[in-house]
Amino acid sequence: MRHTIFLFILSLMVLTACAQSPAVVKQQTTARAGQVVKAKQASKPQQTPSKPAQSQQQKTLSKTAQSLAQRGYVNVKDRDESIQVSLMYARPDNFCGKVLYTDLREAYLHPLAADALAKAQRRLKELRPELSLKVYDAARPMSIQQRMWDEVKNTDHSFYVSNPANGGGLHNYGLAVDISICVAATGDTIPMGTKVDHMSSASHIDRETELVAQRRITAEARQNRQLLREVMEYAGYKPLRTEWWHFNLRSRAEAKKNFKVIK
């Protein structure tokens, strides 16, 4: 009797196994395979993700910008994103009346000058949070300096442009900046009495009291110029007597001795 029951149970198990559908068998096999693949993937070391953003940024820089960056000059916005930039020689509304920077839109400076500019911006934000520095020119290749000089060398304006034959100016070392102050929210410059690059005595900082008395500039414009000088001098820049917008971080003698000119 026991033997008969055993044979019956054995026969039932065999019939159940045979009756199992191929789909179920396939599903079980696939599940086991998936578990094996996951186990292998888990055992592989994780790769460090690439950095396409940096590569893409490099591709979008102009030829001139790439050249300046490769030489070690710094985009001022990499030091402080809030600094505004509007290069006047990338537009025709400058004293030359033509575009000189055909492919440059960023303001580059020597790292020392860029750091000092960021310091000046921080100081301005402490005094007037609603305002911002606005850069109109920064590092300038000597080839552009030559074009500027050619425009003025036989005119009364030659006084305002450095002769490349004499080593150029501090812009040609990335150690000078042409700058104003604007409303941060709109980018509109505040009154300074003249436009940037205005070549006349109305731009001279040592005549501002006289200029106000003669009503050639307003008292507000003089105060705004003084604010600009205050924050720039706080950061180590020195103003230029004849151009309220121009500031140097080093003297020409120091630049020629310790820094390289931008060809």
Side-chain angles (χ1 to χ4, degrees):
M1 183 66 178
R2 291 181 180 177
H3 179 69
T4 302
I5 295 174
F6 173 77
L7 289 177
F8 174 76
I9 294 174
L10 180 62
S11 300
L12 185 62
M13 293 174 61
V14 171
L15 289 173
T16 302
C18 292
Q20 190 174 34
S21 68
V24 173
V25 174
K26 182 178 180 180
Q27 184 178 6
Q28 293 176 345
T29 304
T30 303
R32 287 194 295 270
Q35 292 174 354
V36 172
V37 171
K38 289 181 179 179
K40 289 183 178 180
Q41 290 178 341
S43 65
K44 290 182 179 180
Q46 294 295 317
Q47 296 182 354
T48 302
S50 58
K51 298 180 180 179
Q54 183 177 0
S55 176
Q56 184 63 29
Q57 182 182 18
Q58 186 69 17
K59 290 180 181 179
T60 59
L61 290 177
S62 67
K63 182 178 180 181
T64 301
Q66 289 185 41
S67 176
L68 289 169
Q70 290 169 358
R71 297 181 195 184
Y73 295 93
V74 177
N75 185 335
V76 299
K77 282 188 166 293
D78 289 339
R79 288 296 191 264
D80 191 324
E81 180 65 27
S82 68
I83 297 174
Q84 301 201 25
V85 175
S86 180
L87 298 185
M88 58 186 167
Y89 300 117
R91 310 185 306 267
D93 57 331
N94 54 65
F95 80 92
C96 293
K98 61 182 69 175
V99 174
L100 299 179
Y101 294 152
T102 57
D103 71 341
L104 184 63
R105 298 297 179 270
E106 304 86 4
Y108 281 82
L109 287 172
H110 187 281
L112 293 176
D115 289 341
L117 190 63
K119 183 177 180 180
Q121 175 78 336
R122 290 193 297 272
R123 180 57 176 166
L124 177 60
K125 290 294 185 180
E126 291 174 356
L127 299 174
R128 299 284 298 276
E130 78 281 9
L131 300 179
S132 172
L133 294 176
K134 188 172 185 177
V135 177
Y136 284 89
D137 197 28
R140 181 191 304 161
M142 190 65 82
S143 58
I144 302 299
Q145 187 71 29
Q146 184 64 55
R147 292 182 62 185
M148 290 182 179
W149 175 250
D150 291 342
E151 291 288 329
V152 301
K153 61 184 178 181
N154 296 318
T155 72
D156 294 338
H157 290 161
S158 61
F159 175 75
Y160 293 95
V161 179
S162 297
N163 188 345
N166 299 327
L170 275 298
H171 281 292
N172 306 127
Y173 294 86
L175 295 170
V177 63
D178 291 335
I179 199 163
S180 187
I181 296 176
C182 70
V183 178
T186 64
D188 296 331
T189 52
I190 62 177
M192 291 291 187
T194 73
K195 292 183 178 181
V196 172
D197 235 12
H198 179 77
M199 295 181 178
S200 82
S201 59
S203 299
H204 295 200
I205 66 175
D206 59 346
R207 297 188 59 181
E208 288 171 350
T209 300
E210 174 187 349
L211 292 170
V212 172
Q214 295 174 349
R215 296 186 179 180
R216 295 179 65 188
I217 69 172
T218 65
E220 179 188 7
R222 177 176 59 182
Q223 291 174 355
N224 291 340
R225 290 185 184 187
Q226 290 172 340
L227 174 62
L228 178 61
R229 290 198 292 271
E230 178 181 350
V231 300
M232 293 299 283
E233 290 176 335
Y234 175 85
Y237 278 94
K238 298 177 179 60
L240 188 63
R241 181 184 67 83
T242 55
E243 300 175 2
W244 61 260
W245 58 85
H246 181 104
F247 293 85
N248 296 324
L249 188 68
R250 295 287 188 271
S251 68
R252 291 194 185 192
E254 289 175 304
K256 290 181 179 180
K257 181 179 179 180
N258 301 313
F259 299 87
K260 293 183 179 180
V261 71
I262 305 171
K263 300 295 186 180

